[in-house]
Amino acid sequence: MIRPVTIEDAQQLVDIYNYYVINSIVTLDLVPFSKGDFEVKIEEISTKFPFIVYEVDNEIVGYAYANTFRTKPAYKNTVELTVYIKHSQLGKQLGKKLYSELLLLLKNKNFHVVIGGLTLPNDASVKLHENFGFEKVAHFKEVGYKFEKWHDVGFWQLTF
């Protein structure tokens, strides 16, 4: 079931996210988050943008949300997307289901441009974005440093 996030989801979301902080370059965050950090994130984001979770048998297996792309007022119709799937649930098309719902919500709220920022290489995320019609519009070389290595970041854009 896909549903809106609630503050009670914070612990499950932080558990999903911190796996990637500790074990991968999918996020360039270096320090794990606390439950409180995610409670603040949920409150700040869900009041302005869609923030949804995918739940199976009362367990959250993934989440996705839109957030501010840039803070200047002229960017108000552009958002940046985020999606995370519980690492044990990868390969089950959950990201596709979450993105389908999130993009529909954003289109219905009259957002104009959606941006996905990806640490590279990340074939699964590139494929996910391109399957929804996102086009690669930027590639920044060696802008993130994690696990004793420099990483590139690419940006994909979808215009409604």
Side-chain angles (χ1 to χ4, degrees):
M1 160 176 79
I2 296 176
R3 63 165 175 80
V5 72
T6 68
I7 202 76
E8 290 78 21
D9 299 327
Q11 186 61 58
Q12 290 186 73
L13 300 188
V14 78
D15 290 345
I16 291 169
Y17 189 71
N18 281 342
Y19 172 85
Y20 293 99
V21 172
I22 295 164
N23 297 294
S24 84
I25 62 162
V26 170
T27 175
L28 292 177
D29 276 316
L30 302 174
V31 178
F33 284 61
S34 70
K35 178 184 174 192
D37 294 331
F38 259 71
E39 289 171 342
V40 170
K41 182 184 287 272
I42 289 167
E43 273 189 15
E44 289 178 352
I45 295 171
S46 65
T47 59
K48 301 176 202 162
F49 303 101
F51 194 143
I52 56 177
V53 300
Y54 196 109
E55 186 177 59
V56 177
D57 298 327
N58 296 315
E59 177 188 6
I60 295 173
V61 294
Y63 66 92
Y65 61 84
N67 202 356
T68 304
F69 170 65
R70 298 192 73 178
T71 57
K72 292 180 177 148
Y75 294 110
K76 70 180 180 179
N77 293 44
T78 299
V79 293
E80 187 169 356
L81 298 185
T82 298
V83 62
Y84 282 94
I85 306 300
K86 190 171 186 177
H87 70 279
S88 63
Q89 301 295 312
L90 293 173
K92 297 182 178 181
Q93 304 296 310
L94 302 178
K96 182 178 179 182
K97 292 174 185 175
L98 281 163
Y99 257 26
S100 291
E101 180 67 19
L102 185 59
L103 290 171
L104 180 63
L105 291 169
L106 292 169
K107 191 172 188 177
N108 289 339
K109 290 183 177 281
N110 295 315
F111 285 99
H112 181 61
V113 173
V114 182
I115 305 289
L118 315 174
T119 307
L120 301 173
N122 187 338
D123 293 340
S125 262
V126 169
K127 183 178 177 183
L128 174 68
H129 286 82
E130 290 181 351
N131 283 343
F132 279 100
F134 284 74
E135 296 180 37
K136 187 175 184 182
V137 293
H139 188 121
F140 298 100
K141 296 182 178 192
E142 299 185 3
V143 293
Y145 191 78
K146 186 174 181 179
F147 300 142
E148 307 298 319
K149 184 177 175 188
W150 288 104
H151 301 282
D152 295 359
V153 173
F155 286 88
W156 274 254
Q157 175 179 327
L158 176 67
T159 304
F160 292 125

PDB file of all heavy atoms in Angstrom, residues 3-26:
ATOM      1  N   ARG A   3       0.928   5.184   0.840  1.00  0.00           N
ATOM      2  CA  ARG A   3       0.160   6.134   1.648  1.00  0.00           C
ATOM      3  C   ARG A   3       1.047   7.320   2.021  1.00  0.00           C
ATOM      4  O   ARG A   3       2.277   7.240   1.937  1.00  0.00           O
ATOM      5  CB  ARG A   3      -0.376   5.444   2.902  1.00  0.00           C
ATOM      6  CG  ARG A   3       0.722   4.946   3.825  1.00  0.00           C
ATOM      7  CD  ARG A   3       0.188   4.598   5.197  1.00  0.00           C
ATOM      8  NE  ARG A   3       1.193   4.002   6.057  1.00  0.00           N
ATOM      9  CZ  ARG A   3       2.122   4.671   6.728  1.00  0.00           C
ATOM     10  NH1 ARG A   3       2.227   5.968   6.610  1.00  0.00           N
ATOM     11  NH2 ARG A   3       2.981   4.029   7.504  1.00  0.00           N
ATOM     12  N   PRO A   4       0.421   8.411   2.479  1.00  0.00           N
ATOM     13  CA  PRO A   4       1.222   9.545   2.952  1.00  0.00           C
ATOM     14  C   PRO A   4       2.023   9.169   4.198  1.00  0.00           C
ATOM     15  O   PRO A   4       1.589   8.350   5.010  1.00  0.00           O
ATOM     16  CB  PRO A   4       0.170  10.605   3.292  1.00  0.00           C
ATOM     17  CG  PRO A   4      -1.048  10.208   2.536  1.00  0.00           C
ATOM     18  CD  PRO A   4      -1.012   8.711   2.454  1.00  0.00           C
ATOM     19  N   VAL A   5       3.172   9.764   4.337  1.00  0.00           N
ATOM     20  CA  VAL A   5       4.023   9.548   5.504  1.00  0.00           C
ATOM     21  C   VAL A   5       3.347  10.095   6.754  1.00  0.00           C
ATOM     22  O   VAL A   5       2.522  11.018   6.674  1.00  0.00           O
ATOM     23  CB  VAL A   5       5.402  10.223   5.291  1.00  0.00           C
ATOM     24  CG1 VAL A   5       5.296  11.737   5.372  1.00  0.00           C
ATOM     25  CG2 VAL A   5       6.440   9.690   6.246  1.00  0.00           C
ATOM     26  N   THR A   6       3.683   9.522   7.901  1.00  0.00           N
ATOM     27  CA  THR A   6       3.286  10.082   9.197  1.00  0.00           C
ATOM     28  C   THR A   6       4.537  10.192  10.058  1.00  0.00           C
ATOM     29  O   THR A   6       5.548   9.538   9.787  1.00  0.00           O
ATOM     30  CB  THR A   6       2.249   9.190   9.930  1.00  0.00           C
ATOM     31  OG1 THR A   6       2.887   7.971  10.319  1.00  0.00           O
ATOM     32  CG2 THR A   6       1.036   8.913   9.058  1.00  0.00           C
ATOM     33  N   ILE A   7       4.456  10.983  11.096  1.00  0.00           N
ATOM     34  CA  ILE A   7       5.596  11.163  11.995  1.00  0.00           C
ATOM     35  C   ILE A   7       5.992   9.840  12.655  1.00  0.00           C
ATOM     36  O   ILE A   7       7.165   9.607  12.961  1.00  0.00           O
ATOM     37  CB  ILE A   7       5.295  12.268  13.035  1.00  0.00           C
ATOM     38  CG1 ILE A   7       6.586  12.833  13.604  1.00  0.00           C
ATOM     39  CG2 ILE A   7       4.368  11.791  14.120  1.00  0.00           C
ATOM     40  CD1 ILE A   7       7.307  13.760  12.679  1.00  0.00           C
ATOM     41  N   GLU A   8       5.022   8.942  12.810  1.00  0.00           N
ATOM     42  CA  GLU A   8       5.294   7.637  13.416  1.00  0.00           C
ATOM     43  C   GLU A   8       6.176   6.745  12.534  1.00  0.00           C
ATOM     44  O   GLU A   8       6.692   5.729  12.984  1.00  0.00           O
ATOM     45  CB  GLU A   8       3.988   6.911  13.745  1.00  0.00           C
ATOM     46  CG  GLU A   8       3.191   7.523  14.877  1.00  0.00           C
ATOM     47  CD  GLU A   8       2.409   8.774  14.477  1.00  0.00           C
ATOM     48  OE1 GLU A   8       2.142   8.969  13.261  1.00  0.00           O
ATOM     49  OE2 GLU A   8       2.077   9.566  15.376  1.00  0.00           O
ATOM     50  N   ASP A   9       6.345   7.119  11.277  1.00  0.00           N
ATOM     51  CA  ASP A   9       7.172   6.341  10.346  1.00  0.00           C
ATOM     52  C   ASP A   9       8.661   6.640  10.480  1.00  0.00           C
ATOM     53  O   ASP A   9       9.492   5.971   9.855  1.00  0.00           O
ATOM     54  CB  ASP A   9       6.754   6.638   8.895  1.00  0.00           C
ATOM     55  CG  ASP A   9       5.322   6.262   8.594  1.00  0.00           C
ATOM     56  OD1 ASP A   9       4.825   5.272   9.174  1.00  0.00           O
ATOM     57  OD2 ASP A   9       4.697   6.959   7.768  1.00  0.00           O
ATOM     58  N   ALA A  10       9.011   7.618  11.281  1.00  0.00           N
ATOM     59  CA  ALA A  10      10.389   8.126  11.312  1.00  0.00           C
ATOM     60  C   ALA A  10      11.428   7.032  11.548  1.00  0.00           C
ATOM     61  O   ALA A  10      12.450   6.986  10.848  1.00  0.00           O
ATOM     62  CB  ALA A  10      10.532   9.228  12.356  1.00  0.00           C
ATOM     63  N   GLN A  11      11.220   6.152  12.510  1.00  0.00           N
ATOM     64  CA  GLN A  11      12.237   5.146  12.813  1.00  0.00           C
ATOM     65  C   GLN A  11      12.464   4.200  11.640  1.00  0.00           C
ATOM     66  O   GLN A  11      13.603   3.879  11.306  1.00  0.00           O
ATOM     67  CB  GLN A  11      11.877   4.344  14.071  1.00  0.00           C
ATOM     68  CG  GLN A  11      12.992   3.393  14.501  1.00  0.00           C
ATOM     69  CD  GLN A  11      14.282   4.123  14.845  1.00  0.00           C
ATOM     70  OE1 GLN A  11      14.292   4.991  15.722  1.00  0.00           O
ATOM     71  NE2 GLN A  11      15.381   3.801  14.177  1.00  0.00           N
ATOM     72  N   GLN A  12      11.389   3.754  11.004  1.00  0.00           N
ATOM     73  CA  GLN A  12      11.554   2.849   9.867  1.00  0.00           C
ATOM     74  C   GLN A  12      12.252   3.547   8.700  1.00  0.00           C
ATOM     75  O   GLN A  12      13.089   2.940   8.019  1.00  0.00           O
ATOM     76  CB  GLN A  12      10.201   2.286   9.418  1.00  0.00           C
ATOM     77  CG  GLN A  12       9.602   1.309  10.416  1.00  0.00           C
ATOM     78  CD  GLN A  12       8.356   0.666   9.876  1.00  0.00           C
ATOM     79  OE1 GLN A  12       8.442  -0.184   8.992  1.00  0.00           O
ATOM     80  NE2 GLN A  12       7.202   1.075  10.394  1.00  0.00           N
ATOM     81  N   LEU A  13      11.935   4.827   8.477  1.00  0.00           N
ATOM     82  CA  LEU A  13      12.581   5.560   7.385  1.00  0.00           C
ATOM     83  C   LEU A  13      14.064   5.767   7.656  1.00  0.00           C
ATOM     84  O   LEU A  13      14.896   5.604   6.759  1.00  0.00           O
ATOM     85  CB  LEU A  13      11.893   6.910   7.156  1.00  0.00           C
ATOM     86  CG  LEU A  13      10.425   6.891   6.786  1.00  0.00           C
ATOM     87  CD1 LEU A  13       9.958   8.289   6.402  1.00  0.00           C
ATOM     88  CD2 LEU A  13      10.116   5.908   5.693  1.00  0.00           C
ATOM     89  N   VAL A  14      14.401   6.130   8.887  1.00  0.00           N
ATOM     90  CA  VAL A  14      15.807   6.359   9.210  1.00  0.00           C
ATOM     91  C   VAL A  14      16.595   5.050   9.122  1.00  0.00           C
ATOM     92  O   VAL A  14      17.754   5.043   8.699  1.00  0.00           O
ATOM     93  CB  VAL A  14      15.984   7.074  10.563  1.00  0.00           C
ATOM     94  CG1 VAL A  14      15.812   6.150  11.746  1.00  0.00           C
ATOM     95  CG2 VAL A  14      17.336   7.760  10.638  1.00  0.00           C
ATOM     96  N   ASP A  15      15.967   3.940   9.465  1.00  0.00           N
ATOM     97  CA  ASP A  15      16.642   2.646   9.327  1.00  0.00           C
ATOM     98  C   ASP A  15      16.944   2.335   7.860  1.00  0.00           C
ATOM     99  O   ASP A  15      18.029   1.853   7.528  1.00  0.00           O
ATOM    100  CB  ASP A  15      15.797   1.527   9.934  1.00  0.00           C
ATOM    101  CG  ASP A  15      15.718   1.604  11.455  1.00  0.00           C
ATOM    102  OD1 ASP A  15      16.520   2.336  12.075  1.00  0.00           O
ATOM    103  OD2 ASP A  15      14.818   0.940  12.016  1.00  0.00           O
ATOM    104  N   ILE A  16      15.989   2.608   6.981  1.00  0.00           N
ATOM    105  CA  ILE A  16      16.204   2.394   5.539  1.00  0.00           C
ATOM    106  C   ILE A  16      17.338   3.296   5.064  1.00  0.00           C
ATOM    107  O   ILE A  16      18.279   2.846   4.399  1.00  0.00           O
ATOM    108  CB  ILE A  16      14.913   2.667   4.743  1.00  0.00           C
ATOM    109  CG1 ILE A  16      13.873   1.591   5.036  1.00  0.00           C
ATOM    110  CG2 ILE A  16      15.210   2.744   3.235  1.00  0.00           C
ATOM    111  CD1 ILE A  16      12.477   1.903   4.503  1.00  0.00           C
ATOM    112  N   TYR A  17      17.252   4.575   5.390  1.00  0.00           N
ATOM    113  CA  TYR A  17      18.225   5.543   4.903  1.00  0.00           C
ATOM    114  C   TYR A  17      19.633   5.293   5.435  1.00  0.00           C
ATOM    115  O   TYR A  17      20.616   5.332   4.675  1.00  0.00           O
ATOM    116  CB  TYR A  17      17.780   6.964   5.267  1.00  0.00           C
ATOM    117  CG  TYR A  17      18.627   8.017   4.622  1.00  0.00           C
ATOM    118  CD1 TYR A  17      18.553   8.248   3.257  1.00  0.00           C
ATOM    119  CD2 TYR A  17      19.526   8.771   5.362  1.00  0.00           C
ATOM    120  CE1 TYR A  17      19.340   9.209   2.636  1.00  0.00           C
ATOM    121  CE2 TYR A  17      20.317   9.733   4.762  1.00  0.00           C
ATOM    122  CZ  TYR A  17      20.221   9.942   3.402  1.00  0.00           C
ATOM    123  OH  TYR A  17      21.013  10.882   2.792  1.00  0.00           O
ATOM    124  N   ASN A  18      19.743   5.015   6.722  1.00  0.00           N
ATOM    125  CA  ASN A  18      21.073   4.849   7.315  1.00  0.00           C
ATOM    126  C   ASN A  18      21.827   3.659   6.738  1.00  0.00           C
ATOM    127  O   ASN A  18      23.064   3.675   6.713  1.00  0.00           O
ATOM    128  CB  ASN A  18      20.982   4.757   8.831  1.00  0.00           C
ATOM    129  CG  ASN A  18      20.811   6.118   9.470  1.00  0.00           C
ATOM    130  OD1 ASN A  18      21.073   7.148   8.850  1.00  0.00           O
ATOM    131  ND2 ASN A  18      20.360   6.127  10.704  1.00  0.00           N
ATOM    132  N   TYR A  19      21.133   2.652   6.260  1.00  0.00           N
ATOM    133  CA  TYR A  19      21.827   1.556   5.577  1.00  0.00           C
ATOM    134  C   TYR A  19      22.666   2.119   4.428  1.00  0.00           C
ATOM    135  O   TYR A  19      23.825   1.744   4.243  1.00  0.00           O
ATOM    136  CB  TYR A  19      20.825   0.514   5.049  1.00  0.00           C
ATOM    137  CG  TYR A  19      21.511  -0.507   4.184  1.00  0.00           C
ATOM    138  CD1 TYR A  19      22.130  -1.621   4.750  1.00  0.00           C
ATOM    139  CD2 TYR A  19      21.610  -0.342   2.801  1.00  0.00           C
ATOM    140  CE1 TYR A  19      22.808  -2.537   3.969  1.00  0.00           C
ATOM    141  CE2 TYR A  19      22.283  -1.260   2.008  1.00  0.00           C
ATOM    142  CZ  TYR A  19      22.880  -2.351   2.591  1.00  0.00           C
ATOM    143  OH  TYR A  19      23.564  -3.253   1.815  1.00  0.00           O
ATOM    144  N   TYR A  20      22.083   3.036   3.661  1.00  0.00           N
ATOM    145  CA  TYR A  20      22.781   3.609   2.502  1.00  0.00           C
ATOM    146  C   TYR A  20      23.867   4.594   2.928  1.00  0.00           C
ATOM    147  O   TYR A  20      24.905   4.688   2.269  1.00  0.00           O
ATOM    148  CB  TYR A  20      21.780   4.259   1.551  1.00  0.00           C
ATOM    149  CG  TYR A  20      20.867   3.233   0.914  1.00  0.00           C
ATOM    150  CD1 TYR A  20      19.589   3.003   1.412  1.00  0.00           C
ATOM    151  CD2 TYR A  20      21.305   2.456  -0.152  1.00  0.00           C
ATOM    152  CE1 TYR A  20      18.764   2.043   0.847  1.00  0.00           C
ATOM    153  CE2 TYR A  20      20.487   1.490  -0.721  1.00  0.00           C
ATOM    154  CZ  TYR A  20      19.217   1.293  -0.215  1.00  0.00           C
ATOM    155  OH  TYR A  20      18.406   0.333  -0.771  1.00  0.00           O
ATOM    156  N   VAL A  21      23.655   5.309   4.026  1.00  0.00           N
ATOM    157  CA  VAL A  21      24.693   6.211   4.539  1.00  0.00           C
ATOM    158  C   VAL A  21      25.938   5.396   4.892  1.00  0.00           C
ATOM    159  O   VAL A  21      27.060   5.769   4.530  1.00  0.00           O
ATOM    160  CB  VAL A  21      24.190   6.984   5.783  1.00  0.00           C
ATOM    161  CG1 VAL A  21      25.333   7.762   6.433  1.00  0.00           C
ATOM    162  CG2 VAL A  21      23.042   7.912   5.421  1.00  0.00           C
ATOM    163  N   ILE A  22      25.737   4.272   5.555  1.00  0.00           N
ATOM    164  CA  ILE A  22      26.847   3.464   6.060  1.00  0.00           C
ATOM    165  C   ILE A  22      27.486   2.591   4.981  1.00  0.00           C
ATOM    166  O   ILE A  22      28.703   2.379   4.982  1.00  0.00           O
ATOM    167  CB  ILE A  22      26.359   2.568   7.228  1.00  0.00           C
ATOM    168  CG1 ILE A  22      25.941   3.443   8.413  1.00  0.00           C
ATOM    169  CG2 ILE A  22      27.412   1.560   7.654  1.00  0.00           C
ATOM    170  CD1 ILE A  22      25.107   2.716   9.454  1.00  0.00           C
ATOM    171  N   ASN A  23      26.694   2.110   4.023  1.00  0.00           N
ATOM    172  CA  ASN A  23      27.160   1.064   3.113  1.00  0.00           C
ATOM    173  C   ASN A  23      27.275   1.415   1.638  1.00  0.00           C
ATOM    174  O   ASN A  23      27.669   0.551   0.855  1.00  0.00           O
ATOM    175  CB  ASN A  23      26.212  -0.149   3.223  1.00  0.00           C
ATOM    176  CG  ASN A  23      26.241  -0.749   4.595  1.00  0.00           C
ATOM    177  OD1 ASN A  23      27.244  -1.296   5.024  1.00  0.00           O
ATOM    178  ND2 ASN A  23      25.127  -0.619   5.308  1.00  0.00           N
ATOM    179  N   SER A  24      26.915   2.616   1.220  1.00  0.00           N
ATOM    180  CA  SER A  24      26.912   2.870  -0.220  1.00  0.00           C
ATOM    181  C   SER A  24      27.191   4.331  -0.541  1.00  0.00           C
ATOM    182  O   SER A  24      27.211   5.186   0.335  1.00  0.00           O
ATOM    183  CB  SER A  24      25.566   2.458  -0.831  1.00  0.00           C
ATOM    184  OG  SER A  24      24.618   3.489  -0.687  1.00  0.00           O
ATOM    185  N   ILE A  25      27.332   4.585  -1.840  1.00  0.00           N
ATOM    186  CA  ILE A  25      27.496   5.955  -2.322  1.00  0.00           C
ATOM    187  C   ILE A  25      26.187   6.510  -2.862  1.00  0.00           C
ATOM    188  O   ILE A  25      26.158   7.614  -3.402  1.00  0.00           O
ATOM    189  CB  ILE A  25      28.591   6.044  -3.406  1.00  0.00           C
ATOM    190  CG1 ILE A  25      28.220   5.215  -4.627  1.00  0.00           C
ATOM    191  CG2 ILE A  25      29.945   5.682  -2.834  1.00  0.00           C
ATOM    192  CD1 ILE A  25      28.983   5.569  -5.885  1.00  0.00           C
ATOM    193  N   VAL A  26      25.097   5.783  -2.714  1.00  0.00           N
ATOM    194  CA  VAL A  26      23.797   6.270  -3.188  1.00  0.00           C
ATOM    195  C   VAL A  26      23.489   7.628  -2.567  1.00  0.00           C
ATOM    196  O   VAL A  26      22.936   8.500  -3.209  1.00  0.00           O
ATOM    197  CB  VAL A  26      22.688   5.238  -2.890  1.00  0.00           C
ATOM    198  CG1 VAL A  26      21.313   5.807  -3.148  1.00  0.00           C
ATOM    199  CG2 VAL A  26      22.900   3.994  -3.735  1.00  0.00           C
TER     200      VAL A  26
END
